[in-house]
Amino acid sequence: MKKFLYLALYASTLLYADAPALKPMQERTFVQSQYMPDISLIADLSMVSRNKEQDELPAYSIPGVSEAFFGSGDNEHSHGTYNAENGFNLNYAELVMSSSVDPFLSFDAVFHFAQEGVDIEEAYFTTTALGHGVRIRGGKFLSGFGRHNAQHHHIWDFSDAPLIYQGFLGGALNEKGLQFQYTPALSEYVMLGAEVLQGENESTFGNRTQTFENNDTLKGAEAPSMFVAYAKTSFDIGETTVIPGLAYVYGETRSYHLHEGVEEAFSGVSWIYNAELTVKH
């Protein structure tokens, strides 16, 4: 029996070795070296001096809109607050990996390392060969809502997010879902986009079921529960570039806060409209 097995193994080895010569169509075409990812690491450190004492900072918020921006303690993600401490801060380290998967897809991943832990900030595929100005992205990504939202912290013009983004979006729309973008072949740049997102952003939306101390239940929204649409363009006037844009987000809202020992909850829908104008000269 053993001799038979050895003979069968030897015969199959010979067949495999001769296969490329006999059947070229079965040759292995994947070459790992052609798909090695680009890797980068970005570290963000800061030294902060404020005219407010550290223990005063948790009191700063937008009443009725957002809880404290500093040390709120209810953030389930490992993202710490940027520049949270007076003095020296290690805000985060961002590891980025990007690679072509095949001639039709690319894949990107962004890992956010903070002292509190590690998050997968983004992990998504992007089509590269659909043609006709159409692009599809899927996974977890920064939404194309507005001009600022899709930018990572290290390329912001300021160290803090705009107050509107902090108050209504918790800093950014960073969701799981699908994104569709269409850029028609026109003389001026025009891009139309639409997104179907999970709806987990708890600053304005959120879709989790909540149970209160008295055992009452606020039933969560059926996901996906957030929808985004936007239109962006740009054009030149002499040496000046004008970049206007419109955006809209709609989502079911299930919010819950414990404010000064009192449970506060809301169930409904929310809309956010965005108009923006960037001028570069």
Side-chain angles (χ1 to χ4, degrees), residues 90-193:
L90 172 57
N91 293 317
Y92 61 86
E94 189 174 272
L95 178 66
V96 182
M97 305 181 71
S98 179
S99 177
S100 296
V101 177
D102 54 33
F104 309 101
L105 294 173
S106 65
F107 191 85
D108 297 83
V110 180
F111 301 92
H112 189 102
F113 293 82
Q115 295 183 91
E116 296 80 6
V118 182
D119 272 346
I120 302 177
E121 185 166 5
E122 295 190 271
Y124 58 83
F125 71 85
T126 305
T127 60
T128 57
L130 290 180
H132 307 289
V134 177
R135 191 189 78 173
I136 298 175
R137 175 170 291 176
K140 183 182 181 184
F141 51 85
L142 290 168
S143 168
F145 174 82
R147 179 172 172 79
H148 174 87
N149 192 86
Q151 299 177 354
H152 285 263
H153 178 257
H154 56 85
I155 61 172
W156 291 358
D157 291 327
F158 300 93
S159 61
D160 297 321
L163 200 58
I164 292 296
Y165 282 85
Q166 289 189 31
F168 290 97
L169 301 178
L173 278 181
N174 183 203
E175 294 272 342
K176 294 170 286 189
L178 279 175
Q179 179 189 81
F180 304 86
Q181 291 186 348
Y182 172 57
T183 306
L186 302 174
S187 57
E188 303 290 351
Y189 172 77
V190 175
M191 190 267 282
L192 305 176

Side-chain angles (χ1 to χ4, degrees), residues 2 17 148 228 236 240 252:
K2 289 184 179 180
H148 174 87
V228 180
D236 295 328
T240 302
E252 296 190 51

Side-chain angles (χ1 to χ4, degrees), residues 19-274:
L22 298 174
K23 298 180 180 181
M25 293 301 291
Q26 294 183 4
E27 287 185 2
R28 185 171 183 265
T29 59
F30 177 79
V31 180
Q32 179 65 49
S33 61
Q34 296 180 1
Y35 297 95
M36 290 297 291
D38 295 325
I39 302 174
S40 65
L41 178 66
I42 299 165
D44 188 277
L45 303 93
S46 63
M47 185 180 73
V48 177
S49 177
R50 296 185 176 93
N51 62 350
K52 298 295 181 183
E53 298 294 331
Q54 189 68 37
D55 57 4
E56 294 181 73
L57 296 179
Y60 284 88
S61 63
I62 303 178
V65 176
S66 175
E67 296 299 312
F69 295 138
F70 298 92
S72 60
D74 58 359
N75 186 0
E76 293 189 350
H77 304 287
S78 64
H79 283 48
T81 305
Y82 301 136
N83 308 313
E85 302 285 339
N86 286 323
F88 296 99
N89 292 269
L90 172 57
N91 293 317
Y92 61 86
E94 189 174 272
L95 178 66
V96 182
M97 305 181 71
S98 179
S99 177
S100 296
V101 177
D102 54 33
F104 309 101
L105 294 173
S106 65
F107 191 85
D108 297 83
V110 180
F111 301 92
H112 189 102
F113 293 82
Q115 295 183 91
E116 296 80 6
V118 182
D119 272 346
I120 302 177
E121 185 166 5
E122 295 190 271
Y124 58 83
F125 71 85
T126 305
T127 60
T128 57
L130 290 180
H132 307 289
V134 177
R135 191 189 78 173
I136 298 175
R137 175 170 291 176
K140 183 182 181 184
F141 51 85
L142 290 168
S143 168
F145 174 82
R147 179 172 172 79
H148 174 87
N149 192 86
Q151 299 177 354
H152 285 263
H153 178 257
H154 56 85
I155 61 172
W156 291 358
D157 291 327
F158 300 93
S159 61
D160 297 321
L163 200 58
I164 292 296
Y165 282 85
Q166 289 189 31
F168 290 97
L169 301 178
L173 278 181
N174 183 203
E175 294 272 342
K176 294 170 286 189
L178 279 175
Q179 179 189 81
F180 304 86
Q181 291 186 348
Y182 172 57
T183 306
L186 302 174
S187 57
E188 303 290 351
Y189 172 77
V190 175
M191 190 267 282
L192 305 176
E195 298 170 359
V196 181
L197 305 175
Q198 190 75 358
E200 295 174 325
N201 184 285
E202 293 187 358
S203 293
T204 300
F205 303 97
N207 55 20
R208 295 190 306 168
T209 297
Q210 300 285 353
T211 301
F212 308 116
E213 291 183 356
N214 61 3
N215 293 325
D216 287 344
T217 299
L218 176 65
K219 186 178 180 182
E222 194 69 32
S225 58
M226 183 187 295
F227 306 92
V228 180
Y230 44 86
K232 305 179 182 183
T233 184
S234 69
F235 54 89
D236 295 328
I237 303 176
E239 297 182 356
T240 302
T241 300
V242 182
I243 311 172
L246 297 172
Y248 164 80
V249 57
Y250 164 88
E252 296 190 51
T253 300
R254 303 292 187 271
S255 65
Y256 165 82
H257 296 95
L258 185 63
H259 181 69
E260 296 182 352
V262 178
E263 292 180 316
E264 300 176 350
F266 174 78
S267 175
V269 296
S270 299
W271 298 265
I272 296 178
Y273 300 89
N274 174 70

